[in-house]
Amino acid sequence: MVFVKAQKSKAYFKRFQVKYKRRREGKTDYRARIRLINQDKNKYNTPKYRFVVRFSNKDIVAQIVSATITGDMVLAAAYARELPRYGLEVGLTNYAAAYCTGLLLARRVLKMLEMDEEYEGNVEATGEDFSVEPAESRRPFRALLDVGLIRTTTGNRVFGALKGALDGGLDIPHSDKRFAGFGKEDKQLDVDVHRKYIYGGHVAAYMRSLMEDEPEKYQSHFSEYIKRGIEADNIEEVYKKVHAAIRADPTAKKSEKEAPREHKRYNLKKLTYEERKASLIERLNTLNAAGGNEEDEDDDE
């Protein structure tokens, strides 16, 4: 018999340390998180804010978050599902919608802190890189970009949200290397390409190509656009109006849905002692009655 060396002994398993739950679930990159939330000791309990951006199939979530020993605290949040209120009812997960969501969060948090008039940001998006300059009275609101587990490729939608927050007046350390339109060869940002993405020009180009090559596919893919009268030629105007509407009123609106009168209950209601006692007596009586009927049938036979 060949000798096989035990690779993992009993001593190994006795000392095995289970990883954090969110690492086991593949949800959190703790190596990145620890570097984002570490605060200098001489700053005591000063919160260190993160500009958190997450994408789902139908929504974009942007939040200003700070870490505490009891858990993360959200200072402000903005969602792409709020954009229909500002005039954007379709295409809520593309690069242009990410820009709008970042802009909405930036204006909302600055209004909350009464800094919106002092830091207006870049009022008209030109596609150029923009960094806010400190004012005389208060320093700009600073946050660090938290991208989660996504690959930070050039032109990723998360950098659209970053650009929106920068234009909104937030101070976020960054470079222009990952914005849409950054050239790999010349190592420069193509401002026109970036502007095209901010105003949905890439969507308009796809609409035109489908309209010419596959009209039926265009009718099905852009049915919601067609229903609302949005065409390739006027899509830029739609986004301009959305940006203006966000700057006019970025405050969060409470839901108008009424609270449910009766909450649904999915587990059994807890019975009192008297109710349990009455239920037991009822079951015993039922069993006794069933037993008496069987005895009567046996006697008849």
Side-chain angles (χ1 to χ4, degrees):
M1 185 177 175
V2 181
F3 175 74
V4 180
K5 183 183 177 183
Q7 297 294 324
K8 293 182 179 178
S9 62
K10 185 178 179 182
Y12 166 83
F13 288 107
K14 285 177 75 174
R15 287 162 177 77
F16 182 79
Q17 185 173 2
V18 179
K19 295 187 188 301
Y20 290 146
K21 183 180 178 183
R22 287 185 66 85
R23 171 62 189 89
R24 298 198 307 268
E25 293 174 345
K27 290 180 178 177
T28 299
D29 178 0
Y30 280 98
R31 189 171 184 275
R33 179 182 167 82
I34 200 84
R35 285 156 176 75
L36 282 169
I37 67 173
N38 265 4
Q39 181 64 293
D40 298 333
K41 294 295 180 187
N42 62 358
K43 292 180 182 174
Y44 300 98
N45 218 16
T46 306
K48 192 173 185 178
Y49 291 107
R50 311 193 316 274
F51 175 66
V52 180
V53 185
R54 298 291 184 269
F55 291 84
S56 69
N57 287 342
K58 294 183 178 181
D59 202 11
I60 303 171
V61 181
Q63 297 173 324
I64 298 293
V65 181
S66 61
T68 66
I69 201 164
T70 54
D72 283 6
M73 309 299 285
V74 179
L75 177 68
Y79 304 90
R81 61 173 179 264
E82 295 179 66
L83 296 178
R85 193 177 121 211
Y86 297 100
L88 186 64
E89 297 179 335
V90 287
L92 299 181
T93 53
N94 58 30
Y95 194 95
Y99 177 91
C100 294
T101 309
L103 178 66
L104 176 60
L105 177 61
R107 300 311 301 164
R108 180 169 291 171
V109 73
L110 290 176
K111 191 172 182 68
M112 185 187 298
L113 299 172
E114 297 180 353
M115 297 167 66
D116 54 326
E117 293 180 5
E118 200 169 4
Y119 292 101
E120 289 189 355
N122 190 14
V123 177
E124 186 178 351
T126 58
E128 294 179 0
D129 190 16
F130 175 80
S131 295
V132 68
E133 295 295 331
E136 294 179 1
S137 55
R138 298 173 71 179
R139 286 179 293 180
F141 185 88
R142 190 178 181 84
L144 304 177
L145 178 63
D146 184 339
V147 299
L149 299 174
I150 65 152
R151 291 183 181 274
T152 50
T153 51
T154 303
N156 195 299
R157 291 175 298 171
V158 74
F159 298 111
L162 168 65
K163 177 60 176 163
L166 291 168
D167 285 355
L170 295 188
D171 178 20
I172 303 173
H174 69 284
S175 75
D176 61 0
K177 290 183 179 180
R178 291 302 179 194
F179 290 141
F182 186 83
K184 194 175 182 181
E185 286 78 22
D186 57 358
K187 305 291 183 185
Q188 285 185 338
L189 178 66
D190 189 332
V191 174
D192 295 331
V193 173
H194 195 203
R195 185 186 183 283
K196 183 182 82 170
Y197 273 79
I198 290 171
Y199 288 111
H202 58 302
V203 179
Y206 184 53
M207 289 172 80
R208 289 190 187 98
S209 66
L210 272 187
M211 208 183 303
E212 292 174 6
D213 301 336
E214 300 175 78
E216 292 181 3
K217 192 176 180 181
Y218 170 76
Q219 293 291 333
S220 61
H221 273 222
F222 292 99
S223 59
E224 294 298 319
Y225 284 74
I226 295 166
K227 194 187 295 181
R228 289 167 175 80
I230 300 172
E231 298 175 355
D233 297 329
N234 67 352
I235 198 165
E236 184 175 327
E237 293 301 320
V238 171
Y239 283 108
K240 283 183 177 179
K241 288 177 182 176
V242 171
H243 297 170
I246 287 170
R247 286 183 174 277
D249 182 23
T251 53
K253 191 178 180 183
K254 287 188 177 180
S255 175
E256 294 177 355
K257 290 172 69 176
E258 292 184 5
R261 293 175 185 174
E262 293 183 10
H263 291 280
K264 288 183 179 178
R265 192 181 185 96
Y266 296 100
N267 57 349
L268 296 174
K269 186 182 176 183
K270 194 171 181 181
L271 301 176
T272 62
Y273 172 73
E274 295 298 330
E275 288 172 335
R276 293 200 302 274
K277 187 175 178 182
S279 176
L280 178 62
I281 291 168
E282 187 180 346
R283 277 184 286 148
L284 289 173
N285 290 338
T286 306
L287 286 170
N288 291 336
N293 293 336
E294 287 178 6
E295 289 177 7
D296 294 339
E297 289 175 3
D298 293 340
D299 292 341
D300 293 340
E301 290 177 357

